[in-house]
Amino acid sequence: MNNEIAKNIEKLINSKLDASDNLRAMAKRIREGRGSYKDLYAYSIAMSNAIKESAKSELVEAFGTGKIKGFENLIGTEIMRSVFEDYHGKLIDLGSAKVNAQLKSLSLGIKPIKTDVTFSRLLDVVTPLDEATTAEEVAAFLDGEKINQFYNASLDEFVEENANFQYEAGLTTVIVRSCGSESCAFCKGLEGTYEYNGTKEAGPHENIFARHDGCTCTIDVRTTRGGSFTRANNYRRR
Protein backbone atom coordinates (compact mmCIF):
# COMPACT_ATOMS: atom_id res chain seq x y z
CA MET A 1 0.00 0.00 0.00
CA ASN A 2 2.77 2.45 0.95
CA ASN A 3 4.55 1.97 -2.37
CA GLU A 4 1.28 2.45 -4.24
CA ILE A 5 0.61 5.74 -2.45
CA ALA A 6 4.11 6.98 -3.33
CA LYS A 7 3.55 6.04 -6.98
CA ASN A 8 0.22 7.87 -7.03
CA ILE A 9 1.86 10.96 -5.55
CA GLU A 10 4.57 10.91 -8.21
CA LYS A 11 2.00 10.50 -11.00
CA LEU A 12 0.14 13.53 -9.72
CA ILE A 13 3.37 15.55 -9.41
CA ASN A 14 4.33 14.70 -12.98
CA SER A 15 0.90 15.64 -14.25
CA LYS A 16 1.14 19.03 -12.54
CA LEU A 17 4.60 19.70 -13.97
CA ASP A 18 3.62 18.50 -17.44
CA ALA A 19 0.44 20.59 -17.44
CA SER A 20 2.37 23.85 -17.19
CA ASP A 21 3.56 25.21 -20.56
CA ASN A 22 5.82 27.62 -18.67
CA LEU A 23 7.54 24.87 -16.66
CA ARG A 24 7.97 22.62 -19.68
CA ALA A 25 9.55 25.50 -21.61
CA MET A 26 11.75 26.38 -18.64
CA ALA A 27 13.00 22.80 -18.27
CA LYS A 28 13.69 22.65 -22.03
CA ARG A 29 15.73 25.88 -21.89
CA ILE A 30 17.77 24.56 -18.98
CA ARG A 31 18.46 21.18 -20.64
CA GLU A 32 19.54 22.91 -23.83
CA GLY A 33 21.90 25.25 -21.97
CA ARG A 34 19.83 28.37 -22.62
CA GLY A 35 18.34 28.56 -19.13
CA SER A 36 19.79 30.53 -16.23
CA TYR A 37 20.44 29.54 -12.64
CA LYS A 38 17.46 31.73 -11.79
CA ASP A 39 15.38 29.42 -14.00
CA LEU A 40 16.79 26.40 -12.17
CA TYR A 41 15.82 27.79 -8.74
CA ALA A 42 12.39 28.81 -10.07
CA TYR A 43 11.88 25.25 -11.31
CA SER A 44 12.96 23.96 -7.88
CA ILE A 45 10.26 26.04 -6.18
CA ALA A 46 7.58 25.00 -8.69
CA MET A 47 8.56 21.35 -8.31
CA SER A 48 8.50 21.64 -4.50
CA ASN A 49 5.02 23.15 -4.60
CA ALA A 50 3.80 20.37 -6.91
CA ILE A 51 5.20 17.79 -4.46
CA LYS A 52 3.48 19.45 -1.50
CA GLU A 53 0.11 19.80 -3.24
CA SER A 54 0.21 16.23 -4.59
CA ALA A 55 1.27 14.69 -1.28
CA LYS A 56 -1.44 16.57 0.59
CA SER A 57 -4.11 15.42 -1.85
CA GLU A 58 -3.06 11.76 -1.94
CA LEU A 59 -2.39 11.41 1.80
CA VAL A 60 -5.80 12.82 2.69
CA GLU A 61 -7.33 10.44 0.15
CA ALA A 62 -5.45 7.50 1.70
CA PHE A 63 -5.89 8.28 5.40
CA GLY A 64 -8.78 10.71 5.60
CA THR A 65 -8.85 13.37 8.29
CA GLY A 66 -8.41 13.27 12.02
CA LYS A 67 -6.12 10.76 13.72
CA ILE A 68 -3.71 8.77 11.56
CA LYS A 69 -4.29 5.13 12.45
CA GLY A 70 -2.74 1.83 11.46
CA PHE A 71 0.35 3.33 9.89
CA GLU A 72 2.86 3.50 12.76
CA ASN A 73 3.43 7.19 12.04
CA LEU A 74 5.94 6.58 9.24
CA ILE A 75 4.48 8.73 6.49
CA GLY A 76 7.84 10.44 6.01
CA THR A 77 10.03 7.34 5.95
CA GLU A 78 7.68 4.85 4.31
CA ILE A 79 6.02 7.05 1.71
CA MET A 80 7.58 10.46 1.22
CA ARG A 81 11.26 9.56 1.49
CA SER A 82 11.27 7.82 -1.90
CA VAL A 83 9.36 10.76 -3.43
CA PHE A 84 11.83 13.30 -2.01
CA GLU A 85 14.80 11.27 -3.24
CA ASP A 86 13.37 10.73 -6.74
CA TYR A 87 12.73 14.42 -7.33
CA HIS A 88 16.09 15.35 -5.83
CA GLY A 89 17.60 13.20 -8.57
CA LYS A 90 15.44 14.86 -11.25
CA LEU A 91 16.44 18.34 -10.07
CA ILE A 92 20.16 17.48 -9.99
CA ASP A 93 19.89 15.92 -13.46
CA LEU A 94 18.41 19.19 -14.71
CA GLY A 95 21.17 21.18 -13.03
CA SER A 96 23.81 18.87 -14.49
CA ALA A 97 22.46 19.45 -17.99
CA LYS A 98 22.81 23.20 -17.43
CA VAL A 99 26.38 22.96 -16.10
CA ASN A 100 27.36 20.52 -18.84
CA ALA A 101 26.21 22.98 -21.51
CA GLN A 102 28.16 25.73 -19.75
CA LEU A 103 31.36 23.66 -19.74
CA LYS A 104 30.88 22.64 -23.38
CA SER A 105 30.58 26.29 -24.39
CA LEU A 106 34.09 26.77 -22.97
CA SER A 107 35.33 23.72 -24.91
CA LEU A 108 36.24 21.99 -21.67
CA GLY A 109 36.46 18.21 -21.54
CA ILE A 110 35.11 17.89 -18.00
CA LYS A 111 31.71 16.78 -16.73
CA PRO A 112 29.58 18.22 -13.92
CA ILE A 113 29.45 16.52 -10.53
CA LYS A 114 26.06 15.06 -9.61
CA THR A 115 25.47 15.38 -5.87
CA ASP A 116 23.57 12.74 -3.89
CA VAL A 117 20.88 13.61 -1.38
CA THR A 118 22.35 14.60 1.99
CA PHE A 119 21.15 12.23 4.74
CA SER A 120 20.87 14.89 7.46
CA ARG A 121 18.87 17.16 5.15
CA LEU A 122 16.58 14.26 4.15
CA LEU A 123 16.09 13.31 7.81
CA ASP A 124 15.13 16.90 8.58
CA VAL A 125 12.33 16.81 6.01
CA VAL A 126 10.93 13.31 6.71
CA THR A 127 11.00 13.38 10.54
CA PRO A 128 8.12 15.88 11.02
CA LEU A 129 5.94 13.65 8.83
CA ASP A 130 6.92 10.57 10.84
CA GLU A 131 6.06 12.39 14.06
CA ALA A 132 2.68 13.65 12.85
CA THR A 133 -0.32 12.00 14.51
CA THR A 134 -3.13 13.80 12.70
CA ALA A 135 -3.89 14.66 9.10
CA GLU A 136 -3.96 18.31 10.17
CA GLU A 137 -0.32 18.11 11.33
CA VAL A 138 0.70 16.52 8.02
CA ALA A 139 -1.14 19.23 6.08
CA ALA A 140 0.44 21.99 8.18
CA PHE A 141 3.93 20.67 7.43
CA LEU A 142 3.16 20.36 3.71
CA ASP A 143 1.87 23.94 3.68
CA GLY A 144 5.15 25.17 5.18
CA GLU A 145 8.57 25.97 3.71
CA LYS A 146 10.66 22.93 4.71
CA ILE A 147 10.28 21.08 1.42
CA ASN A 148 11.11 24.18 -0.63
CA GLN A 149 14.13 24.67 1.63
CA PHE A 150 15.18 21.05 1.13
CA TYR A 151 15.34 21.38 -2.65
CA ASN A 152 16.85 24.86 -2.73
CA ALA A 153 19.55 23.76 -0.27
CA SER A 154 20.17 20.67 -2.40
CA LEU A 155 20.68 22.95 -5.40
CA ASP A 156 23.06 25.10 -3.34
CA GLU A 157 25.10 22.00 -2.52
CA PHE A 158 25.19 21.03 -6.20
CA VAL A 159 26.27 24.56 -7.18
CA GLU A 160 28.97 24.64 -4.51
CA GLU A 161 30.39 21.22 -5.39
CA ASN A 162 30.65 22.15 -9.06
CA ALA A 163 32.10 25.58 -8.31
CA ASN A 164 34.75 23.92 -6.15
CA PHE A 165 35.53 21.32 -8.82
CA GLN A 166 35.91 24.00 -11.47
CA TYR A 167 38.03 26.14 -9.17
CA GLU A 168 40.36 23.21 -8.46
CA ALA A 169 40.60 22.60 -12.23
CA GLY A 170 42.18 26.05 -12.51
CA LEU A 171 39.20 27.92 -13.92
CA THR A 172 38.13 31.43 -12.95
CA THR A 173 34.95 30.82 -10.97
CA VAL A 174 32.66 33.64 -9.86
CA ILE A 175 29.63 33.29 -7.56
CA VAL A 176 26.71 35.68 -7.91
CA ARG A 177 24.13 35.62 -5.13
CA SER A 178 20.88 37.49 -5.85
CA CYS A 179 17.81 38.11 -3.72
CA GLY A 180 14.38 39.57 -4.33
CA SER A 181 13.14 43.02 -3.39
CA GLU A 182 11.43 41.76 -0.23
CA SER A 183 14.39 39.78 1.11
CA CYS A 184 15.47 40.06 4.74
CA ALA A 185 18.55 41.88 6.03
CA PHE A 186 20.45 38.58 6.33
CA CYS A 187 19.99 37.76 2.66
CA LYS A 188 20.66 41.30 1.50
CA GLY A 189 23.90 41.20 3.46
CA LEU A 190 25.05 38.22 1.39
CA GLU A 191 23.89 39.51 -1.99
CA GLY A 192 26.73 40.29 -4.36
CA THR A 193 29.36 39.06 -6.79
CA TYR A 194 32.33 37.13 -5.39
CA GLU A 195 35.36 35.43 -6.81
CA TYR A 196 35.17 31.90 -5.52
CA ASN A 197 38.29 30.90 -3.59
CA GLY A 198 37.54 27.28 -2.76
CA THR A 199 35.75 28.01 0.53
CA LYS A 200 32.21 28.86 1.61
CA GLU A 201 33.32 32.21 2.97
CA ALA A 202 33.49 35.09 0.53
CA GLY A 203 34.52 37.37 3.37
CA PRO A 204 35.10 37.21 7.14
CA HIS A 205 32.42 34.92 8.64
CA GLU A 206 30.21 35.16 5.54
CA ASN A 207 28.92 31.89 4.11
CA ILE A 208 27.67 32.82 0.65
CA PHE A 209 25.70 29.54 0.47
CA ALA A 210 23.82 30.08 3.77
CA ARG A 211 20.04 29.79 3.52
CA HIS A 212 17.13 30.02 5.97
CA ASP A 213 13.58 28.61 5.74
CA GLY A 214 11.64 30.59 3.16
CA CYS A 215 14.78 32.02 1.55
CA THR A 216 14.35 32.65 -2.19
CA CYS A 217 17.90 33.74 -3.03
CA THR A 218 19.45 32.33 -6.21
CA ILE A 219 23.11 31.44 -6.63
CA ASP A 220 24.75 31.72 -10.04
CA VAL A 221 28.14 30.36 -11.11
CA ARG A 222 30.05 32.04 -13.92
CA THR A 223 33.09 30.18 -15.16
CA THR A 224 35.72 31.36 -17.62
CA ARG A 225 39.12 30.21 -18.73
CA GLY A 226 40.49 33.45 -17.30
CA GLY A 227 41.13 36.94 -18.53
CA SER A 228 37.68 37.63 -19.96
CA PHE A 229 35.88 38.24 -16.66
CA THR A 230 36.56 41.15 -14.33
CA ARG A 231 37.64 39.54 -11.07
CA ALA A 232 35.50 40.36 -8.05
CA ASN A 233 36.68 41.31 -4.59
CA ASN A 234 36.14 38.38 -2.21
CA TYR A 235 35.56 40.71 0.73
CA ARG A 236 33.27 43.41 -0.65
CA ARG A 237 29.72 43.25 -1.94
CA ARG A 238 29.00 44.84 -5.28
Side-chain angles (χ1 to χ4, degrees), residues 178-199:
S178 305
C179 58
S181 58
E182 298 182 1
S183 295
C184 65
F186 171 81
C187 289
K188 287 182 178 178
L190 291 176
E191 187 176 32
T193 301
Y194 307 94
E195 182 182 334
Y196 184 66
N197 61 3
T199 71

Side-chain angles (χ1 to χ4, degrees), residues 162-179:
N162 279 279
N164 190 58
F165 172 61
Q166 292 167 33
Y167 171 80
E168 290 182 348
L171 302 173
T172 299
T173 306
V174 172
I175 304 293
V176 182
R177 178 165 177 147
S178 305
C179 58

Side-chain angles (χ1 to χ4, degrees), residues 40 50 52 55 64 68 70 76 85 88 106 109 116 166 169 176 205 207 229:
L40 192 56
K52 294 193 295 184
I68 298 172
E85 288 180 316
H88 176 280
L106 296 171
D116 294 327
Q166 292 167 33
V176 182
H205 312 298
N207 178 0
F229 193 97

Side-chain angles (χ1 to χ4, degrees), residues 191-229:
E191 187 176 32
T193 301
Y194 307 94
E195 182 182 334
Y196 184 66
N197 61 3
T199 71
K200 292 176 183 290
E201 294 187 353
H205 312 298
E206 294 181 8
N207 178 0
I208 55 175
F209 298 98
R211 185 181 293 277
H212 58 76
D213 285 354
C215 174
T216 58
C217 289
T218 62
I219 300 174
D220 189 348
V221 180
R222 301 176 185 177
T223 304
T224 69
R225 284 180 174 275
S228 62
F229 193 97

Side-chain angles (χ1 to χ4, degrees), residues 113-132:
I113 294 174
K114 289 189 177 183
T115 49
D116 294 327
V117 64
T118 302
F119 176 75
S120 60
R121 191 173 293 136
L122 184 61
L123 187 65
D124 186 53
V125 80
V126 300
T127 297
L129 291 171
D130 283 344
E131 293 176 345

